[in-house]
Amino acid sequence: MDKSLTNAPLQALEEAFHAMRARSRDEPAPDLAQRLDRLARLRSVVADNEERFRQAISVDFGHRCAVETTIAETMLLFSELRHATKHLRAWMTPQRVATALQFLPARNRLMPQPLGVVGIIAPWNYPLQLTLAPTIGAIAAGNRVIIKPSELVPHFSALLQETVAQRFDATEVLITGVEDEVAKGFASLPFDHLVFTGSTRVGRLVAEAAGRNLTPVTLELGGKSPAIIDASADLDEAAERIAYGKLLNAGQTCIAPDYVLVPERSLQAFAEKVRAQMRRMFGTDPANKDYTSIISDRHYARLEGLVADAARHGAKILQPAKPDDPNWKAHRKFPPTLIAGATETMAAMQEEIFGPVLPVLGTREPVEAIAFVNARDRPLALYWFGKDAAARDEVLARTVSGGVTVNDCLFHFTQINQPMGGVGASGTGAYHGEWGFRTFSKLKPVFYRSRFNRLADLYPPYGGKIARLEKLMRFMS
Ligand code: NAD
């Protein structure tokens, strides 16, 4: 670990930031070869240390399923890296933009330029993916990057700091420490762009701090993402897909289905089917290596509180495994739990769950599900299950969310050609693939005027030329 970043952490960070910013101003336009080299070095950080990252993350979680780290972190990063490497030349090429008739034969070009220094604040739940995926977009766009990982994954954060420092100069890509002082001071630095992934509560603080510098932000926040089961849905299929979407990373996934709205008459049957699928996938043994632990005792206690509150308020609690086995707590694994017949007033419906607890609520008619979603903050994700295309399109048209997967969960996130981001309280801005390149670039419009067209010369004395131009414009419109 870099000693300078551990003694007076905030001061050291400020100095590192200003050094990086000075370099970004001295060398504002890294060429294709430099950017590809940075992407290749980033790839080697992940590829050469894959197993170490898997282990560090697992230590931080108590247990993190190794396959989940592979599919939801490293594979996603390799795919982003491959895609950016392949398309970077095309992305960097100034784009032709049409020129209005009266200016021809002049030309318009949209020229992507690096913004300078991008700051990234990351959460703990997918610590590798959520630190490095925005970094890929930022360095592809020619920026320099400072990353603040989460204090809840200290082993991972120290390893990221060590391995990045081996391959990058501190003015190219830098990983900060995880001290509280650094977290609080980070968003006040005058970054050229700031990416924050985390809770809506902290997102507000970050937006406020960034706003004071007029730093543009991409906010990747959380919230309650609904799954709507239409009357036309295949309940078995929906139950399987929702069970998996919910239990990946033990529900500690920003786009996990947070709760399910299901036609009242199918509620009990559906909840039973989800329970059966959860048991089939993850068994009943808390030592099961496929099932991930909860990140901390505090988070565990919060989930226990949500379930106890629901039980107190009369919901039926369904669990595939015996929850009173002390090994669940010893492994800090939370037994998958359905809250069948949840109601709006229960604590589980007041906050993002972020764990393997799934409230299931009954609806009497399809419009009720739409109204339920629209009465709340705009969700990060929405899932719709069914075969009735008209009902599907109605939900798509009348709800606004960060993204949607139809007849499954999570998969819109993995589409490299689609942007990932929230809307309203679930976030602002987006990245992934070319969307990331664009987010982290200034797309500068450049107008190359032509020697041969004097139409736009509107200098005084105006005489009759304005009238002639006006006539022409009216004729053309
Ligand atoms: P969090 O908001 O508690 O912390 C996120 C990061 O912010 C951490 O690095 C933390 O140290 C830092 N931080 C804390 N206080 C800060 C401050 N005052 N100024 C600047 N930074 C500060 O979130 P978390 O618990 O780490 O992550 C869980 C949340 O993240 C959930 O709400 C989840 O939905 C959301 N999330 C969203 C996405 C997405 O892509 N939209 C992805 C993953 C997680």
Side-chain angles (χ1 to χ4, degrees):
M1 193 180 294
D2 181 347
K3 288 268 181 307
S4 64
L5 288 180
T6 54
N7 295 335
L10 186 55
Q11 192 192 338
L13 171 62
E14 283 167 357
E15 285 165 14
F17 170 80
H18 288 294
M20 187 181 277
R21 188 178 153 104
R23 282 295 291 278
S24 80
R25 288 353 185 216
D26 286 349
E27 299 164 29
D31 62 17
L32 177 65
Q34 281 170 300
R35 298 184 198 195
L36 288 175
D37 170 57
R38 286 179 187 161
L39 289 174
R41 278 185 278 145
L42 197 63
R43 190 181 191 288
S44 75
V45 167
V46 183
D48 298 352
N49 298 288
E50 224 180 314
E51 188 47 36
R52 292 177 76 197
F53 278 122
R54 259 196 293 272
Q55 279 176 16
I57 293 170
S58 193
V59 170
D60 288 330
F61 271 72
H63 172 74
R64 156 63 94 73
C65 164
V67 175
E68 290 182 347
T69 303
T70 304
I71 57 177
E73 307 226 46
T74 51
M75 270 168 56
L76 248 142
L77 289 173
F78 289 140
S79 151
E80 284 275 345
L81 282 160
R82 205 169 33 247
H83 186 74
T85 303
K86 184 167 164 207
H87 296 286
L88 189 52
R89 181 190 295 276
W91 294 347
M92 287 174 68
T93 307
Q95 293 162 33
R96 290 167 183 274
V97 175
T99 306
L101 200 59
Q102 66 270 31
F103 295 104
L104 288 174
R107 283 180 298 135
N108 275 307
R109 292 288 182 273
L110 200 54
M111 175 186 172
Q113 276 192 303
L115 295 169
V117 178
V118 173
I120 295 172
I121 303 176
W124 52 265
N125 62 327
Y126 292 97
L128 186 60
Q129 189 225 119
L130 295 169
T131 45
L132 297 191
T135 305
I136 294 168
I139 63 181
N143 300 285
R144 293 161 188 270
V145 179
I146 307 186
I147 302 167
K148 213 272 323 146
S150 167
E151 66 284 5
L152 287 175
V153 280
H155 294 88
F156 160 79
S157 301
L159 180 61
L160 187 69
Q161 191 173 56
E162 175 203 318
T163 51
V164 166
Q166 283 163 358
R167 288 171 180 77
F168 288 92
D169 183 86
T171 61
E172 279 180 310
V173 180
L174 180 74
I175 313 296
T176 73
V178 293
E179 302 80 358
D180 202 33
E181 186 190 346
V182 169
K184 298 223 165 80
F186 194 90
S188 298
L189 294 173
F191 285 106
D192 297 298
H193 192 100
L194 190 55
V195 184
F196 171 80
T197 309
S199 61
T200 301
R201 184 187 68 79
V202 177
R204 274 183 225 281
L205 301 176
V206 168
E208 261 175 49
R212 283 192 283 277
N213 295 316
L214 297 182
T215 294
V217 287
T218 300
L219 300 175
E220 301 279 343
L221 309 177
K224 294 184 81 63
S225 297
I228 300 177
I229 312 293
D230 188 66
S232 65
D234 175 332
L235 289 188
D236 290 304
E237 194 178 86
E240 180 181 32
R241 294 172 186 182
I242 287 176
Y244 181 67
K246 187 68 187 184
L247 296 189
L248 177 77
N249 206 26
Q252 301 164 110
T253 302
C254 57
I255 52 168
D258 187 276
Y259 63 94
V260 183
L261 297 170
V262 61
E264 191 90 57
R265 63 180 179 283
S266 310
L267 193 150
Q268 287 304 328
F270 178 74
E272 284 295 350
K273 285 178 192 293
V274 179
R275 169 159 72 168
Q277 288 295 344
M278 287 176 162
R279 184 185 289 133
R280 186 182 65 77
M281 286 180 202
F282 292 96
T284 55
D285 179 2
N288 181 354
K289 292 256 179 276
D290 287 345
Y291 194 51
T292 291
S293 298
I294 300 301
I295 189 72
S296 75
D297 292 339
R298 179 169 61 83
H299 289 74
Y300 197 100
R302 187 180 62 79
L303 294 168
E304 284 181 318
L306 296 181
V307 176
D309 172 82
R312 251 197 323 277
H313 286 88
K316 188 164 170 196
I317 306 300
L318 297 177
Q319 290 168 314
K322 245 180 93 201
D324 44 11
D325 178 344
N327 282 324
W328 285 104
K329 225 167 184 166
H331 290 277
R332 218 190 304 125
K333 293 197 178 166
F334 199 90
T337 304
L338 286 128
I339 302 178
T343 58
E344 298 181 46
T345 50
M346 291 175 186
M349 289 306 296
Q350 305 296 317
E351 58 184 81
E352 181 181 5
I353 291 178
F354 223 58
V357 175
L358 184 67
V360 184
L361 294 87
T363 51
R364 281 180 301 274
E365 45 187 335
V367 289
E368 210 182 304
I370 295 175
F372 192 93
V373 172
N374 285 339
R376 288 163 175 74
D377 284 340
R378 306 271 198 222
L380 181 59
L382 184 143
Y383 303 112
W384 185 88
F385 289 84
K387 299 189 190 87
D388 178 343
R392 176 200 64 203
D393 293 347
E394 180 85 354
V395 170
L396 286 178
R398 293 184 54 195
T399 59
V400 181
S401 59
V404 175
T405 294
V406 173
N407 282 322
D408 212 330
C409 293
L410 314 179
F411 280 105
H412 63 284
F413 180 87
T414 61
Q415 305 308 305
I416 198 142
N417 295 308
Q418 293 265 45
M420 167 64 201
V423 55
S426 61
T428 176
Y431 70 96
H432 280 198
E434 188 172 3
W435 298 91
F437 177 87
R438 286 171 163 248
T439 290
F440 302 120
S441 295
K442 164 64 190 166
L443 296 176
K444 185 162 73 178
V446 182
F447 176 70
Y448 297 86
R449 80 154 282 175
S450 152
R451 277 191 298 140
F452 303 111
N453 187 333
R454 311 298 305 259
L455 261 181
D457 292 349
L458 300 177
Y459 323 119
Y462 295 121
K465 71 184 160 191
I466 298 290
R468 280 198 299 281
L469 181 67
E470 198 186 340
K471 207 165 149 191
L472 177 69
M473 301 283 286
R474 281 181 198 282
F475 174 72
M476 289 190 328
S477 62

